[in-house]
Every structure is written in structure tokens, then in C-alpha cells.
Amino acid sequence: MAFRIDGVFLPNTPELPIYFAEVQFQPDKKIYSRLFAEIFNYLDKTELTNTWRGVVIFPNRSVDSGDTERYAELLNSQRVTRVYLNELSSIPTSSIGIETVKLIIEPESTATAKAIEIVNSARKEILNAAQQREIIQLIETILIYKLPRLSREEMGKMFGLSELKQTKFYQEVFAEGKEEGKEEGKLEGKLEGKLEGKLEGKLETIPQLWALGLSIEQIAQALGLDEQVVRQAVQPKS
């Protein structure tokens, strides 16, 4: 019966609230009962006395199908904000952060071009090297989940080889290739090997994608696995 919060953002002053973030990309009738159980359990265990806010992120309103009757007062208050990614385009002025989050629901046909646009904006607007690298790594992660067959050329076009070498994905691929002694001199072979993956590696990835809120169907499609295999992998171990 473990509870796991997707994100907890802690303030550096007592006047600011603690933010709890939940990302939900599949319908779940118990989303709100689970969310508030997680939040109040956290508040009970922490010594912080700050007030709190909750943010729930959905791809669209149709996924927001949780039972709300018992939690109407909380959901209708300023305590909780529900965000629908497909509606963020109505915001007149946007930020790199919002554009990066919107990349999650960007159509596959335009996702690569949009990612390049965001990366170029990040290079121009974010002067802090560490923050810039974090944004690029987040974009890289989104694209790998969204477009598992992304080629080395496309990755290089977006990030550049020097920046690509700094990403977690590249470092994992390099380490894996070095340990296995395969194609140590070529990034292309390592990337393709990582993307195609072995069944064991794919099975290890399933819980991570499930934790991000992807459905069984989405995970199966992204990893090229049978839905029954994915379903078994996410079932709690007895």
C-alpha cells in the first residue's frame, strides 16, 4: 500500500507553500483519493509547517475522469490546480518550461521540429549552463519515450555531439557499449542498439514509464512489446 508522489517542490522560506505534483496520462477513478492520501500522509510525516498546493497534470480533460464528489471543496478551492496540456496553447505568452511540457502531447509528425525550436530557444535565453543542460536532457528524455526510433542524425541535429555527450541517455549508451565491448568507436551503433534494446532492458523500463502515467497501450507501443507482457510487468509482486 505504498504511496508515491510524482513530485514534491519544497520552498526555501516558511511563507511559500509546498507544491505536490501528480502527472496522470491514463483514466483513473481513484486519482483524487490517492492524491490526497499521499499529500496528507506527507504532511503528517514532515516537520515543515508550510501551507500546501497541489497540481495535477493531464494530457486533456477526457483523462480527468476521477471521482470528485468527496473532494469537491478541495478541487474547487485554490488548493488544487488541474492543468490540461492540450489547452496550454491558449496562453498568449509561453515559456521554455511550458513549451517543453507541451512537447509531451505534440504530434509525432511535428515533435522533432518542435524540439529543435525549444532547444534553440533554450540556448539563446538560458544563460546558466546547468539549467540549459537540464532542459536539454528533459527534451531528450521526452523524445526518446515519444519517438523510440529517433536516429543519431536527428539527435545530433538537435543537441550537437558535444551536448549529446553530456546527456544521461548518451552516457548510459556509452557505458553499456563499453561494458559489452561492442562498437566502442561508433555512437550510431550504440544508439541504435540502445533504442532497439534487449527484452530485459525493455522490461526494466516499463515501471519507469508506468510511473510517468503512460497507459499499458502506450508503453507497449513505445517499446514494441505485447500488451500482456507490459501488464504483467506492472502488476505488484506478491
Side-chain angles (χ1 to χ4, degrees), residues 115-116 119 123 135-137 139-141 143 150 154-165 167:
I116 294 173
V119 169
R123 287 171 176 155
I135 284 289
I136 291 176
Q137 288 184 350
I139 294 170
E140 167 224 10
T141 301
L143 285 178
L150 200 64
E154 290 172 307
M155 293 281 284
K157 183 178 180 181
M158 282 181 285
F159 305 111
L161 183 58
S162 60
E163 287 178 325
L164 185 59
K165 287 182 177 180
T167 65

Side-chain angles (χ1 to χ4, degrees), residues 2-165:
F3 291 112
R4 180 173 54 195
I5 303 172
D6 288 343
V8 181
F9 299 86
L10 300 178
N12 54 14
T13 67
E15 294 77 22
L16 296 175
I18 301 170
Y19 273 89
F20 298 95
E22 187 77 13
V23 180
Q24 190 65 31
F25 269 52
Q26 57 186 345
D28 184 354
K29 292 293 185 182
K30 294 185 176 181
I31 173 63
Y32 295 115
S33 61
R34 186 177 72 253
L35 172 65
F36 293 125
E38 292 169 350
I39 290 175
F40 292 130
N41 184 53
Y42 185 98
L43 294 176
D44 178 59
K45 302 301 181 184
T46 185
E47 295 182 1
L48 294 175
T49 58
N50 302 64
T51 187
W52 64 275
R53 298 288 188 273
V55 178
V56 192
I57 302 173
F58 298 97
N60 52 61
R61 290 183 182 271
S62 65
V63 178
D64 184 4
S65 59
D67 295 327
T68 61
E69 184 177 354
R70 291 186 292 180
Y71 314 105
E73 291 81 3
L74 284 169
L75 293 173
N76 294 331
S77 72
Q78 295 183 349
R79 289 284 186 191
V80 180
T81 300
R82 287 179 278 185
V83 177
Y84 307 103
L85 297 183
N86 67 325
E87 297 178 10
L88 292 180
S89 58
S90 61
I91 299 176
T93 56
S94 191
S95 67
I96 292 175
I98 291 177
E99 291 300 318
T100 301
V101 173
K102 286 166 59 178
L103 184 61
I104 297 173
I105 59 167
E106 184 77 17
E108 291 187 6
S109 59
T110 57
T112 300
K114 186 63 178 179
I116 294 173
E117 179 184 327
I118 301 172
V119 169
N120 289 336
S121 296
R123 287 171 176 155
K124 295 177 182 178
E125 299 177 27
I126 300 178
L127 301 180
N128 183 289
Q131 292 179 354
Q132 186 182 114
R133 186 163 55 251
E134 287 175 358
I135 284 289
I136 291 176
Q137 288 184 350
L138 178 57
I139 294 170
E140 167 224 10
T141 301
I142 293 172
L143 285 178
I144 289 170
Y145 287 148
K146 193 176 188 69
L147 305 171
R149 297 291 178 181
L150 200 64
S151 70
R152 180 186 69 85
E153 289 76 13
E154 290 172 307
M155 293 281 284
K157 183 178 180 181
M158 282 181 285
F159 305 111
L161 183 58
S162 60
E163 287 178 325
L164 185 59
K165 287 182 177 180

